[in-house]
Structures are given as structure tokens and as C-alpha cells.
């Protein structure tokens, strides 16, 4: 199964979201005994040792977790959800990786069960319903005052499911003169769709935008821009809105466009998660997301893990859209090719400034 960019898979994410809603309304789960807790911890530490992108870091974290066990820190925690929350908080504190997480969901199917065709079809059907209600991660599209396009992207689904929606949005925006991409609520998604979106902003010559290195097999996958349907968005100003909620694949698109000097980032420093990974079954209804790779930008030779993507123009995220709109109109006014265009953008700028 293809790995999702930093969030297991969007299918799994949707499944977890739906089950959390159901669990919130259900009766309290059966209390955990020490044997179950110790088994979950043992499985977690073993799989961290085998998979986590930085082996030495995983081993150091394991030493601390086992110290916590000896001190009896887990003795009084019997609620499975609270136990999972505690492990997540401890791991993130020890490892400084915001993608690391543990959750409890007794109804979630382990990966080997997902090989069953009936289960897989049901899982995909739930995913499509969940994503479809959000227009597959593109919940809002608009043309603002002064012919400035606006595209809100909240997540990146599989290209075969979402590509047409992206293309339709880009075709609708093709005749705008500047574009604002809103990633303030973007929590991540598939690397292939990140590349698909980014490809609309570069010419026909492939551009190297990112690498994903995986510990397993010492494998490095390069991501270059690709041919995409319709008209590309070239030689026009692009502005990207960010917030502290912008995470993972959302950060990757912002970072790609920023390092390639293809967009101006406006808003807040992003969440700081750059390590891709996958879901691990810990047994007893517990699962974990364990990063087993890291992003490597071809220009900076590093990534945004732990530090976030720093915007070019820092401002409270609630004011970012207005500022981006004003900056776009100012730019269009200053670079207008003729008096008619200059007059149009000046009037638009004055209208938005009021």
C-alpha cells in the first residue's frame, strides 16, 4: 500500500476520524490491565526500533519509556484513550517529532485484515464519502476583487481520486492575474498530489521540488514536476497563506514553492512536521503512526521538521488573506502593462483598502 505523506494514508485518517466520532458517543472502554499496557509498550518500542527514521533517537526514547515503566508512571492509567494520549505526549516530548502518535480504536482493522477485498471496498467507500463532503480537500474556490484567484486546499488525497478536481479548479482560475492558495487548514496528504498541484506553477521543463528518504532499504525517492492537464499558471504572482495548523504535506507545498521562489508565503510559521511514515498495529486495539522517512529539499538540503516553514511576511493568520489580497493588487498595479489595466487595478486596490 502506498505511503501517505506524513499521515499514514488519508483513508486511514478518515477511518480514525469517523471512529473517533463514534467512540465519543459510545460507552466507556474496558479498563486496561498492566499486562495489556506492557504488551502495547513492548510492541511500540520494538516497532520504533525497527522503523523510526532515526535509530539512535528511537533507542534513547525506549530507554526513557522503560524507565517510566519501572517508576510505575503507567500504573494508574487504565483508560485506553488516556493511555494512548500519554504515550503520544511522552514520545513527542522525547523524540521531538510531531508525527509520532498512538491511538486506541478497537474497531479499526489491522493491515493484514485490509487485504480482504470486501473490507477494503467498505473502507474505500467510507473514505470517498468522507472526502467527497469536503470536495476532496478543495472546499472553496473564488475570484476576488481585481481578478485575484483564491483556492483553499485543506488536504491532498490520491491523484486518481482528486486530480480531476484540482484540474477543474485550476482551469476555473486560469484567467485570473494573481492567485492566493490558502493552506491555513491543510493537515497533509499524498506526496503525489502535492507534486500534481505544484506542477501547475512551473513550465514544461521538469523541476526537482523534493525528495523523500526512507530508512528501509536506504531508499530515496525524487519528486519532480510532471505534465498536468489544461493551462498552467505561469508568470503570475502567487501567494500562499499559512498558519500553525498548516502541517505535513501542506508545509511541503508551501516550502516547495517558497524555495523555488515561485510564491510569497504570508501568515504564521507552520506546524513543523516533515517526516513521512506509516501506521503500525500495536495490538489490543492500539495503533501508532511511526515516521520511517524524512523530506530532503533539493535546494536547502534539509526540511522544516521541528521548526516549521517560516513565512516571507509574518502576520496573524486571521489577517493573512486580506494582506495577500492587498499585496496581489499592489503588485498588479505596479506591473500593469497599460493604462487601462493600471486604472483597473488601482480602483480594485482602493476598493479593498476601504
Amino acid at each position: 500500500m502506498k505511503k501517505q505523506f506524513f499521515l499514514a494514508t488519508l483513508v486511514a485518517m478518515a477511518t480514525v476520524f469517523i471512529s473517533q466520532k463514534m467512540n465519543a458517543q459510545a460507552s466507556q472502554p474496558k479498563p486496561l490491565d498492566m499486562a495489556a499496557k506492557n504488551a502495547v509498550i513492548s510492541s511500540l518500542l520494538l516497532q520504533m526500533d525497527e522503523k523510526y527514521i532515526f535509530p539512535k533517537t528511537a533507542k534513547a526514547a525506549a530507554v526513557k519509556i522503560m524507565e517510566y515503566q519501572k517508576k510505575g508512571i503507567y500504573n494508574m492509567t487504565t483508560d485506553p484513550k488516556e493511555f494512548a494520549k500519554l504515550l503520544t505526549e511522552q514520545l513527542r516530548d522525547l523524540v521531538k517529532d510531531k508525527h509520532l502518535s498512538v491511538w486506541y480504536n478497537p474497531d479499526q482493522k489491522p493491515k493484514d485484515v485490509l487485504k480482504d477485498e470486501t473490507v477494503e471496498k467498505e473502507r474505500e467507500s467510507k473514505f470517498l464519502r468522507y472526502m467527497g463532503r469536503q470536495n476532496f480537500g478543495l472546499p472553496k474556490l473564488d475570484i476576488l476583487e481585481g481578478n485575484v484567484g483564491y483556492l483553499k486546499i485543506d488536504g491532498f488525497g490520491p491523484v486518481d481520486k482528486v486530480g480531476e478536481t484540482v484540474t477543474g479548479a485550476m482551469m476555473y482560475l486560469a484567467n485570473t492575474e494573481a492567485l492566493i492558495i490558502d493552506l491555513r487548514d491543510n493537515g497533509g496528504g499524498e506526496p503525489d498530489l502535492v507534486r500534481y498541484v505544484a506542477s501547475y506553477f512551473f513550465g514544461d521543463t521538469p523541476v526537482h521540488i523534493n525528495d523523500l528518504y526512507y530508512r528501509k532499504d536506504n531508499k530515496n525517492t525524487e519528486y519532480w514536476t510532471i505534465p498536468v492537464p489544461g493551462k498552467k499558471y505561469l508568470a503570475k504572482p502567487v501567494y500562499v497563506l499559512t498558519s500553525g495548523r498548516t502541517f505535513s504535506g501542506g508545509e511541503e507545498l508551501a516550502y516547495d514553492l517558497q524555495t523555488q521562489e515561485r510564491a510569497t508565503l504570508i501568515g504564521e510559521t507552520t506546524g513543523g512536521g516533515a517526516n513521512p511514515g506509516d501506521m503500525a498495529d500495536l495490538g489490543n486495539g492500539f495503533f501508532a503512526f511511526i515516521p520511517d522517512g524524512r523530506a530532503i529539499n533539493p535546494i536547502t538540503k534539509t526540511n522544516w521538521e521541528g521548526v516549521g516553514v517560516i513565512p516571507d511576511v509574518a502576520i496573524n493568520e486571521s489577517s493573512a488573506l486580506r494582506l495577500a489580497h492587498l499585496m496581489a493588487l499592489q503588485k498588479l498595479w505596479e506591473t500593469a502593462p497599460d493604462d487601462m489595466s493600471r486604472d483597473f487595478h488601482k480602483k480594485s486596490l482602493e476598493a479593498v483598502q476601504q
Side-chain angles (χ1 to χ4, degrees), residues 45-286:
L45 299 185
L46 176 62
Q47 296 197 59
M48 282 282 292
D49 185 61
E50 293 176 346
K51 301 174 182 178
Y52 188 63
I53 180 61
F54 301 114
K56 291 183 179 179
T57 302
K59 291 182 185 299
V63 171
K64 294 297 296 183
I65 295 294
M66 287 187 288
E67 286 180 6
Y68 296 157
Q69 276 184 293
K70 291 179 181 178
K71 291 178 181 178
I73 288 178
Y74 306 112
N75 291 358
M76 300 302 295
T77 306
T78 59
D79 183 279
K81 289 180 284 187
E82 289 299 318
F83 181 57
K85 180 181 178 183
L86 177 60
L87 288 175
T88 296
E89 291 173 348
Q90 290 176 337
L91 281 173
R92 290 183 179 178
D93 180 60
L94 293 169
V95 179
K96 311 301 181 187
D97 189 323
K98 294 182 180 180
H99 275 103
L100 271 171
S101 61
V102 179
W103 66 91
Y104 175 73
N105 183 0
D107 297 321
Q108 187 166 333
K109 306 296 184 183
K111 278 189 173 184
D112 56 347
V113 176
L114 293 177
K115 295 177 183 178
D116 181 88
E117 185 175 349
T118 302
V119 174
E120 181 64 22
K121 285 183 177 180
E122 179 184 356
R123 180 171 174 264
E124 182 175 355
S125 178
K126 287 182 179 179
F127 162 66
L128 292 176
R129 288 198 300 273
Y130 170 75
M131 290 296 291
R133 291 176 186 135
Q134 305 174 60
N135 197 34
F136 291 94
L138 282 73
K140 191 171 183 180
L141 180 68
D142 200 0
I143 297 179
L144 308 178
E145 180 77 35
N147 200 28
V148 175
Y150 173 84
L151 174 62
K152 183 172 173 60
I153 308 177
D154 288 351
F156 299 101
V159 173
D160 64 339
K161 301 293 190 300
V162 186
E164 288 185 351
T165 303
V166 171
T167 297
M170 293 306 299
M171 295 307 94
Y172 178 79
L173 297 166
N175 296 314
T176 58
E177 296 170 72
L179 178 62
I180 298 169
I181 304 174
D182 190 347
L183 301 178
R184 289 176 293 179
D185 293 311
N186 192 302
E190 292 280 357
D192 288 339
L193 195 70
V194 173
R195 171 174 59 184
Y196 190 91
V197 173
S199 296
Y200 277 98
F201 303 100
F202 299 95
D204 294 335
T205 301
V207 176
H208 188 187
I209 56 173
N210 192 44
D211 286 349
L212 291 180
Y213 170 80
Y214 291 98
R215 174 182 169 183
K216 184 178 181 180
D217 301 325
N218 192 33
K219 182 181 179 181
N220 187 71
T221 301
E222 295 184 351
Y223 284 84
W224 295 70
T225 57
I226 57 174
V228 286
K231 187 178 180 181
K232 290 192 173 186
Y233 204 89
L234 306 177
K236 299 178 184 180
V238 177
Y239 302 86
V240 175
L241 310 184
T242 61
S243 75
R245 298 183 303 281
T246 309
F247 197 66
S248 191
E251 295 177 280
E252 202 259 320
L253 179 61
Y255 197 68
D256 290 349
L257 295 178
Q258 183 186 55
T259 55
Q260 295 288 342
E261 299 182 352
R262 186 59 191 90
T264 300
L265 272 56
I266 301 172
E268 300 173 346
T269 299
T270 62
N275 295 337
D278 209 352
M279 183 179 71
D281 181 7
L282 306 181
N284 292 287
F286 287 86

Side-chain angles (χ1 to χ4, degrees), residues 294-311:
R294 61 188 177 96
I296 304 173
N297 182 274
I299 294 176
T300 65
K301 307 302 180 184
T302 183
N303 58 47
W304 57 94
E305 179 65 40
V307 297
V309 182
I310 301 171

